[in-house]
Amino acid sequence: MRPRDDLPSGMQPFPRRTGPGDSLLLTAADTDRLLARHGAHAEAPAVQHAIAGLLDIAAGPPTDQELAGEVAAVATFVLGTTQRATRSARARRGRVIAAGIAASAVVAFSGAAAANALPAPIQELAHTTFSAPAPRPAAPQPTATPPAGQPAPMPGPSSTSQHAKAKAPATKAPKAKAPADKASAAKATPKAAARAKAKGKAGPPGH
Amino acid sequence: MRAAARGDETAFARLWRDNQPQLLRYLRVVTGESAEDVASEVWLEVCRRLGKFRGGESEFRCWLFTTARRRVIDLRRYASRHPVLLTGDPRELDRRAPDDTADAALERMSADAALDLIARLPREQAEIIMLRAIAGLDATQVARIVGKRPGTVRVAAHRGLRTLASMLFAASDEGVTR
């Protein structure tokens, strides 16, 4: 049991209840007024004044203890802000680098397309997309003169590919070049020459 | 508010000073002893997400107390899974620092007594009264925070004040406050 003077300071003493529930009458407007901390009307029951006093004390000025953590809170905020700034700077740098790489790639591609230096299918695509020059027609197949004492190369797959080359669009050109490349490779090393020779002999069926 | 969101240290300090006492008192009523720990966690989250916050001071307060309430719910869930047994006298553990002045102790005692009285209300009523009267939020904002309709919040607040009045009468009748 604690004495009456233990009531929170500032709280109004109020009379004992006179009628059952009379002093506890609170309208919705009273409730809103008290909760908004506008105080009780002068003619309001004493209990409303007591509630208003209680809420005023509960919402009273801050104590030193309540504000003791300010330095730590601000330090945490500064640390968080610095980290956030570092992260966003890093992300920004990454975006700039990615944009630079993309721009360089676009410039290089456009340059190559303008110089007609792309492989034929890609050049064709560039031609149709942004009116880069059309791909060059494939260079005519160099006629390989067979070495002396050897039979002329039999018309085999190479002749059909020649035929196809004549019919096929320009995009097929690199494939048609393959036999000529093979022949030049065969010339380059003796082993490859022998392999090419054997191939030439075994080539057409019935010979 | 905008300056604090941009990272201005002084603006944040002001924001903290304006809201920390109300936050602590709200948390004292709804969580008791863990109020300061929960408040620290709430401010930590605020520091992390303040850069993306858009709105005025009223919206900020609403956001702050929403964050606090979520933390309280987390704490209750955690506490229900990990009950703590105190081995000492809680009053002794919570004793005041030696540099407290008598005036400050008296001042705190008054506010403490008022908060203790509110904390004796049913949890929902106590929370709503704290959010409305101490945090200074309106019924719509409180309804958003507690996930109820404004009408329900008004009824709960009305019941809470009536209960508070009954408690005051009871205290008056008995001649004691506790």
Side-chain angles (χ1 to χ4, degrees), chain A residues 69-87:
Chain A
E70 182 177 344
V71 176
V74 173
T76 308
F77 174 72
V78 170
L79 188 69
T81 309
T82 315
Q83 282 174 349
R84 208 165 48 230
T86 312
R87 267 201 304 275

Side-chain angles (χ1 to χ4, degrees), chain B:
Chain B
M1 195 59 244
R2 244 177 272 151
R6 276 199 309 267
D8 186 302
E9 192 180 322
T10 316
F12 175 79
R14 196 179 146 229
L15 205 60
W16 188 89
R17 275 198 303 273
D18 287 349
N19 291 286
Q20 168 72 354
Q22 291 87 338
L23 178 67
L24 262 184
R25 289 172 195 191
Y26 163 73
L27 290 172
R28 262 203 56 192
V29 167
V30 296
T31 70
E33 301 295 323
S34 319
E36 293 205 2
D37 293 340
V38 179
S40 301
E41 286 180 26
V42 170
W43 282 110
L44 206 61
E45 190 165 341
V46 166
C47 287
R48 270 203 300 269
R49 296 170 54 191
L50 188 59
K52 290 178 186 167
F53 177 79
R54 298 285 174 271
E57 288 194 18
S58 171
E59 287 85 2
F60 173 77
R61 203 172 302 131
C62 204
W63 177 51
L64 181 75
F65 281 91
T66 305
T67 308
R69 191 167 188 274
R70 283 193 193 128
R71 288 281 163 191
V72 170
I73 291 168
D74 290 346
L75 182 80
R76 281 184 194 143
R77 280 193 195 130
Y78 181 85
S80 67
R81 285 196 297 262
H82 305 86
V84 177
L85 292 173
L86 290 177
T87 54
D89 182 357
R91 281 170 300 180
E92 181 65 19
L93 292 172
D94 200 29
R95 66 179 181 275
R96 290 184 192 116
D99 59 343
D100 280 353
T101 61
D103 284 347
L106 187 65
E107 183 191 5
R108 185 169 49 247
M109 178 62 108
S110 304
D112 284 355
L115 292 175
D116 284 348
L117 207 60
I118 296 172
R120 277 195 250 163
L121 292 171
R123 187 191 286 170
E124 186 188 80
Q125 294 174 8
E127 183 173 28
I128 287 172
I129 285 178
M130 288 304 289
L131 288 172
R132 288 224 51 199
I134 312 304
L137 301 170
D138 62 32
T140 313
Q141 289 172 318
V142 174
R144 215 177 306 139
I145 290 173
V146 299
K148 295 189 185 301
R149 286 178 304 179
T152 311
V153 166
R154 284 197 185 93
V155 169
H158 185 254
R159 283 189 186 147
L161 287 191
R162 279 180 63 90
T163 313
L164 209 53
S166 302
M167 284 158 68
L168 285 169
F169 267 121
S172 173
D173 285 346
E174 290 168 17
V176 295
T177 53
R178 292 168 179 251

